Amino acid sequence: MVAAAVGLDAMLKAADVRFIHVEKKLGGRLVTVVVDGTVSAVEAAAKAGREAAAQVGKVKLCEVIARPHKEILRFLYQDIQALDDPEELPSGLKEPNA
């Protein structure tokens, strides 16, 4: 969990990305962190986060999904009700008339 927190901190400081979701498994020993932004910003953030997290723990996987399918967006944005402003939603999740 510490490595995930350190990695997320580095990601948010390194590029213009937004924290979306965290998922903890195995009592916090396996943590998934999701951020969004432009592809280049997410790639830069992922690199910074991977490097920072690796200094304090193990990094199993660090992956960037460019332009994910709408159904994958629904999976990644599990906490979508927490977003107050529908304009902040990725275009794949906006209602057609929104």
Side-chain angles (χ1 to χ4, degrees):
M1 186 69 187
V2 173
V6 169
L8 177 60
D9 182 59
M11 286 191 284
L12 296 174
K13 290 176 179 175
D16 185 20
V17 295
R18 183 174 56 146
F19 172 62
I20 298 301
H21 178 74
V22 66
E23 183 175 332
K24 296 177 274 185
K25 299 287 185 180
L26 302 172
R29 293 186 311 252
L30 180 62
V31 181
T32 301
V33 176
V34 179
V35 298
D36 82 353
T38 64
V39 175
S40 59
V42 172
E43 286 175 343
K47 180 180 179 192
R50 179 178 54 242
E51 291 171 357
Q55 292 179 3
V56 296
K58 283 188 177 181
V59 176
K60 295 289 186 182
L61 178 68
C62 182
E63 193 66 41
V64 174
I65 303 174
R67 298 176 302 284
H69 186 274
K70 182 178 180 179
E71 293 305 314
I72 292 176
L73 287 174
R74 291 186 189 285
F75 172 74
L76 296 175
Y77 285 77
Q78 292 178 19
D79 302 326
I80 209 67
Q81 299 86 355
L83 291 175
D84 296 327
D85 185 0
E87 290 303 312
E88 290 191 29
L89 293 174
S91 59
L93 287 179
K94 291 181 183 177
E95 293 297 322
N97 297 327

